Amino acid sequence: MMSESTTNLAGRARPARPQAVLTVLDRQWLSPHTVRITAGGPGFGALRMNDFTDKYAKVIFADPSLGLAPPYDLAALRESLPPGRQPVTRTYTLRRADARRQELSIDFVVHGDKGIAAPWAANAEPGDTLTLSGAGGAYRPDPGSDWHLFAGDESALPAICAALEALPGDARGHAYLETSDLGEYLDATPPSGIQVTWLHRPHAGSEPRLLADALLANPWPAGRADVFAHGERESMKAVRAILKTRLGDGDQLSLSGYWASGRTEDVFQSEKRQPIGQI
Ligand SMILES: Cc1cc2nc3c(=O)[nH]c(=O)nc-3n(C[C@H](O)[C@H](O)[C@H](O)COP(=O)(O)OP(=O)(O)OC[C@H]3O[C@@H](n4cnc5c(N)ncnc54)[C@H](O)[C@@H]3O)c2cc1C
């Protein structure tokens, strides 16, 4: 099955991304809306790890009724299956990845019974299979910056927690975290100079100005800023508008939408090529 190749615009065949076929080892609820799946096994070696704190993988889901065994020959399946029956991919941060133990953990936001990845994670059992390819990533906190700003919702919390853990002990800054969980849960111990502010809304996507208004209401410290802002697309558009008025030369920005309200990931990704998808 791994002889798959795809053809690029120049017509040359390029090898398919290797797929790691792992076994679910554990499912742990971190909060009412977040479940951590830990998976591992020798298939871990198919992942090309990197040192970015926002490293992510594409989790691949095939319709169980097709009876396919991973790794999937996605190119062949694109030829043989109608569009609605193709395997789908969902993007997830690798919250922890331990090459020595050949294990990784992903924190899935469980956002109701809609979707593919979230319901799968909510019901996954040890022994189930998790298939993924990766890893991508682009950000790691810059220890040379004067202060750090984090802004995100539950989907960005794993990447933000990984970044908080990577900060030097004397780091300063602010993390604005949007959630619909009643409690305030953080699976990382930030340096004491990082102020954490939780922002509550009834459900994800319901208040796209929440993060932006919090940024507006608070002072902007002097010095070179290192900003990591990710989450729901409309929320990130509002955050970018504020940052445009604050960021100066030498500041660093990592900002993107991780999902879009009312859109499956497939639609969200395809809309990146349209005006509504531009952040
Ligand atoms: C680089 C990157 C890293 C990411 N890391 C994580 C991560 O670590 N953990 C994580 O949970 N997500 C993460 N996401 C977001 C995740 O890919 C999307 O939330 C994805 O749409 C979930 O797939 P699904 O099959 O559950 O729902 P889909 O089938 O894609 O969508 C079904 C419905 O659910 C809604 N929906 C999707 N996500 C959410 C949400 N978070 N809250 C409320 N409603 C939602 C959609 O708008 C749609 O209406 C990341 C995205 C990117 C691009």
Side-chain angles (χ1 to χ4, degrees), residues 115-176:
I116 294 174
W120 173 84
N123 295 296
E125 297 286 351
D128 288 353
T129 297
L130 176 71
T131 306
L132 63 171
S133 66
Y139 168 85
R140 188 174 174 81
D142 176 4
S145 60
D146 294 309
W147 66 284
H148 299 266
L149 174 64
F150 300 95
D153 64 12
E154 297 96 334
S155 69
L157 200 50
I160 292 175
C161 284
L164 292 174
E165 284 174 350
L167 288 172
D170 61 352
R172 292 185 308 112
H174 207 137
Y176 297 92

Side-chain angles (χ1 to χ4, degrees), residues 5-232:
S5 68
T6 53
T7 306
N8 64 17
L9 287 177
R12 284 190 291 272
R14 54 184 158 84
R17 281 179 170 223
Q19 296 169 23
V21 181
L22 304 181
T23 302
V24 172
L25 304 172
D26 188 40
R27 183 189 65 193
Q28 181 195 2
W29 286 90
L30 303 180
S31 79
H33 289 103
T34 306
V35 66
R36 171 168 295 168
I37 298 297
T38 299
F44 186 98
L47 294 169
R48 293 194 196 107
M49 269 318 146
N50 60 57
D51 285 335
F52 297 119
T53 49
D54 68 342
K55 58 178 159 295
Y56 61 84
K58 298 281 178 186
V59 183
I60 305 169
F61 295 93
D63 180 345
S65 70
L66 294 171
L68 300 169
Y72 306 110
D73 188 337
L74 298 175
L77 293 173
R78 265 192 292 277
E79 301 293 319
S80 62
L81 292 174
R85 305 212 74 194
Q86 301 281 335
V88 297
T89 60
R90 294 289 185 260
T91 312
Y92 280 89
T93 303
L94 300 179
R95 175 65 182 90
R96 294 204 172 91
D98 185 333
R100 195 182 52 81
R101 293 170 65 99
Q102 299 190 315
E103 271 181 36
L104 55 79
S105 296
I106 296 176
D107 297 349
F108 292 81
V109 177
V110 178
H111 48 84
D113 52 11
K114 286 200 193 124
I116 294 174
W120 173 84
N123 295 296
E125 297 286 351
D128 288 353
T129 297
L130 176 71
T131 306
L132 63 171
S133 66
Y139 168 85
R140 188 174 174 81
D142 176 4
S145 60
D146 294 309
W147 66 284
H148 299 266
L149 174 64
F150 300 95
D153 64 12
E154 297 96 334
S155 69
L157 200 50
I160 292 175
C161 284
L164 292 174
E165 284 174 350
L167 288 172
D170 61 352
R172 292 185 308 112
H174 207 137
Y176 297 92
L177 307 174
E178 185 184 322
T179 183
S180 45
D181 280 326
L182 291 178
E184 296 171 350
Y185 141 79
L186 194 64
D187 174 49
T189 308
S192 57
I194 301 288
Q195 187 183 339
V196 176
T197 301
W198 291 92
L199 304 166
H200 293 275
R201 36 55 169 160
H203 54 86
S206 62
E207 293 186 28
R209 286 212 52 86
L210 198 59
L211 286 168
D213 286 344
L215 291 180
L216 259 185
N218 282 282
W220 186 263
R224 208 160 68 81
D226 182 12
V227 182
F228 183 80
H230 297 266
E232 200 279 327

